[in-house]
Amino acid sequence: MIASLSPTLTEPRLISSMGSVSATVSPSLYSISLIHSPAKQRKSRNLKLRASSTSLSTETTKDIIIDVGLVPISKKVLVPIGYGTEEIEAVVLVNVLRRAGAEVTLASVEQKLEVQGSSGTKLLADVLISKCAEQVFDLVALPGGMPGAVRLRDCGVLEKIMKRQAEENRLYGAISMAPAITLLPWGLLTRKKTTGHPAFFGKLPTFWAVKTNIQVSGELTTSRGPGTSFQFALSLANQLFGEATAKSLEELLLLRDGYQNPKTEEFNSIDWSLNHTPRVLMPVANGSEEVAVVIIADVLRRAKVDVTVASIERSLRITASQGTKIVTDKLIGEASESSYDLILLPGGRAGSERLQKSKVLKKLLKEQQESGRIYGATNSSSTVLHKHGLLKEKRTAVYVSDTDGPANDQMMIEGAEVVIDGNVITSLGLATVTNFSLAIVSKLFGHGRARSVSEGLVHEYRGNMKAP
């Protein structure tokens, strides 16, 4: 491993491919301490460093041999995407595995980095797949979607990468249509128990096909659809980093036992149905939670809702909380020239802070409230509504407070993952966003359409809202 120490007068840092190390340097003393993540696997090794110390009067260079002890070993993951890839599956994979500590590369099998998903969300890949041809990955995971799975199948570079992955007994996986459409023609399902999307289940080898949400068969892991994306990603995180990391992620995503039977509660019920195609605005910023952005847009578009994703930044491109780059439909200034039946804010702490500072968005939200139209937020973005005075006397799924002091938390409904109060809807963390979106579909169109969309996602629909 090659490591270099770049000195400054105050705070030099040692940057290494094995992790991040900080060092404090003076002309007479060199002290180095390792910063590492407990989620990653580790290996003890010695490092030989050439450290340069700079002061006003002296300049010293010397070699240092140190034992850094437990050094994090990064796990490299490849997630390929193509035109028509199912964006929920791709983004959940990237998000969860990056949270686990993996170095995830989102690679385009097209001739350009920008790729439009099956439900219209535009993602900006990190690299073209050709850049990955000679790299070694600990895991290659394929999202589904149509025609995305076909685009992956027809990519010769990706086929070679996947076959080498299987031959060398490294982890690989596929979800939804990808097992039947992509892996099967490549001969990578031989003697492997496999699951996949119900609509393509009949294409799988009959004797080896199993109707489970997750199936691990040796190095191969398969899953059923967008609604099982979190389970798929957590299974892969478990295989890469161990059970402790997967359990921690479950807590973070609100997939813990207390949320296995989630509920939606409604207060002050009003009719949301419209005599036209519903128009939804979703403002986003750098740091917005990509999983929330993609799931809300995907689910609502499946229900035939007109969704506009608008950037409050100066560019159409935003970089979301876990590094996913999303190309939005419009800038917020252009989007503000129209009116919307719903305005929905995705979570992400850094993104929410930026949304809260947008004067254009504040004006839109105030107009939304004054006109009696619908608005809502997931997780941390509920604070934006609260700070703009839009949650007064409204029950919510989350606790919101001002930075100046605690708020009255009596309006938070304990144990509910989605709460509707009149024309306001809020929800908890990442794993609750699908039910948040389906609750909106149900209010707009009824349980029938919500159930139909849910089936397409391979998601268990809980359509009965609980009223007090």
Side-chain angles (χ1 to χ4, degrees), residues 70-275:
L70 298 176
V71 179
I73 299 177
S74 178
K75 295 290 188 179
K76 294 185 65 176
V77 176
L78 175 65
V79 178
I81 58 173
Y83 174 75
T85 286
E86 169 45 62
E87 46 262 71
I88 291 178
E89 295 163 359
V91 169
V92 169
L93 274 170
V94 173
N95 186 289
V96 173
L97 293 174
R98 281 178 177 165
R99 288 176 183 274
E103 178 187 335
V104 183
T105 299
L106 188 66
S108 168
V109 302
E110 308 296 344
Q111 297 300 310
K112 58 181 182 178
L113 293 177
E114 185 178 313
V115 174
Q116 182 169 308
S118 59
S119 292
T121 300
K122 298 171 186 173
L123 303 176
L124 193 67
D126 302 314
V127 297
L128 299 179
I129 193 68
S130 57
K131 297 289 186 181
C132 306
E134 303 303 322
Q135 295 186 44
V136 175
F137 294 95
D138 298 283
L139 164 69
V140 181
L142 309 185
M146 290 295 282
V150 174
R151 304 293 291 180
L152 299 188
R153 181 199 66 195
D154 293 343
C155 176
V157 174
L158 179 59
E159 181 178 359
K160 290 178 182 177
I161 291 173
M162 288 297 287
K163 287 183 175 179
R164 186 172 70 240
Q165 194 78 5
E167 290 167 0
E168 297 177 0
N169 298 318
R170 292 193 298 272
L171 297 178
Y172 63 105
I175 185 171
S176 191
M177 297 85 169
I181 300 301
T182 312
L183 294 187
L184 182 62
W186 290 346
L188 297 181
L189 299 184
T190 304
R191 302 184 67 82
K192 297 284 189 182
K193 287 187 177 181
T194 310
T195 190
H197 195 281
F200 292 80
F201 193 79
K203 296 182 180 295
L204 297 173
T206 304
F207 182 75
W208 297 94
V210 290
K211 292 183 178 180
T212 57
N213 285 346
I214 300 293
Q215 181 61 46
V216 180
S217 185
E219 291 77 30
L220 171 64
T221 302
T222 51
S223 188
R224 301 195 79 193
T228 65
S229 294
F230 283 109
Q231 292 172 272
F232 182 51
L234 285 168
S235 174
L236 295 171
N238 189 358
Q239 293 172 66
L240 285 172
F241 297 106
E243 185 177 354
T245 296
K247 289 293 184 183
S248 296
L249 286 168
E250 285 181 358
E251 289 285 325
L252 179 67
L253 300 170
L254 292 185
L255 288 171
R256 58 185 182 270
D257 291 342
Y259 288 89
Q260 292 306 303
N261 294 298
K263 60 182 178 180
T264 296
E265 294 206 32
E266 183 170 15
F267 303 84
N268 304 312
S269 179
I270 61 173
D271 184 12
W272 286 17
S273 61
L274 302 164
N275 59 5

Side-chain angles (χ1 to χ4, degrees), residues 304-317:
K304 308 306 179 186
V305 173
D306 181 2
V307 180
T308 298
V309 181
S311 168
I312 69 158
E313 309 293 348
R314 294 181 179 180
S315 169
L316 288 174
R317 297 178 179 179

